[in-house]
Amino acid sequence: MFLKFKTNEERRKHGGTAFVEFQFCKLKENTRIRKIVSVNSIQNWKDDSLYLFVDDIDNFLEEYNDIFDSGVYNNMKSGNIDICGINYYSKDSIHKLLEIIKNKKPIDYETIILWLEEAMNYNGFYILGI
C-alpha cells in the first residue's frame, strides 16, 4: 500500500500526482503551529516521503482512519484524516501512533512503522492530501 520513490521521475511514471504524501516536518521544533500547517510551509514531492496511490485511499482509510485521528488541519482544527488537505502530527504524537499500529497490525504496518520511527528525527510529520 505504501510506496517510496527514489526520484520524482520514478513517482511520475507510477502515477503522476495522484498520491497522498506522508512527509517529514523539517521545520524547527519551536515553530508555531500556525506556520507548521500553513500552505506556504509545504513543499510537495520529497524523495524521503512515503506515498499512497489514489487507488489505495479507501483501503488506507478503512485500516488507518481511526489511528490517525488527531491531525491538525490548516484551519487549526483537529480530527480524522482530511484526505484533501494538510494533516500535521507532532513529534510527541508519534509514540502513540506507533503503539496503536503495532497493536492493531493494519495492512502494510511494517512499512509505516519504519517510516514513523524515522519521523522521530524531525518535528513530526504531515499527511498531505490529494
Side-chain angles (χ1 to χ4, degrees):
M1 178 181 318
F2 299 108
L3 304 167
K4 287 198 83 155
F5 301 106
K6 293 178 181 159
T7 66
N8 277 327
E9 184 59 32
E10 184 182 344
R11 178 189 47 78
R12 280 187 211 102
K13 285 180 182 176
H14 184 84
T17 60
F19 294 97
V20 171
E21 180 177 4
F22 292 71
Q23 184 182 104
F24 300 127
C25 176
K26 296 182 179 177
L27 297 172
K28 293 180 182 176
E29 288 195 30
N30 60 353
T31 303
R32 292 175 170 247
I33 188 70
R34 189 165 298 284
K35 179 172 180 162
I36 290 172
V37 297
S38 167
V39 173
N40 296 331
S41 295
I42 309 293
Q43 294 179 344
N44 295 88
W45 317 124
K46 300 292 186 181
D47 290 343
D48 57 359
S49 289
L50 197 61
Y51 293 93
L52 176 72
F53 191 59
V54 67
D55 291 351
D56 294 322
I57 289 175
D58 289 340
N59 288 336
F60 170 74
L61 290 175
E62 187 175 312
E63 294 283 324
Y64 287 92
N65 198 42
D66 63 331
I67 295 171
F68 292 100
D69 63 353
S70 61
V72 178
Y73 311 138
N74 177 261
N75 66 3
M76 302 300 296
K77 293 184 179 181
S78 184
N80 286 351
I81 300 166
D82 176 358
I83 209 66
C84 296
I86 295 170
N87 305 267
Y88 169 71
Y89 299 84
S90 70
K91 187 176 184 174
D92 291 338
S93 70
I94 295 173
H95 294 290
K96 175 188 164 208
L97 293 169
L98 284 168
E99 183 178 325
I100 293 168
I101 293 168
K102 286 176 182 176
N103 286 331
K104 285 191 165 193
K105 294 182 170 69
I107 293 172
D108 206 7
Y109 75 95
E110 299 96 340
T111 303
I112 194 71
I113 284 174
L114 289 173
W115 191 87
L116 288 171
E117 287 172 344
E118 189 175 347
M120 293 296 296
N121 297 315
Y122 300 98
N123 188 14
F125 70 97
Y126 300 102
I127 298 178
L128 303 172
I130 292 185

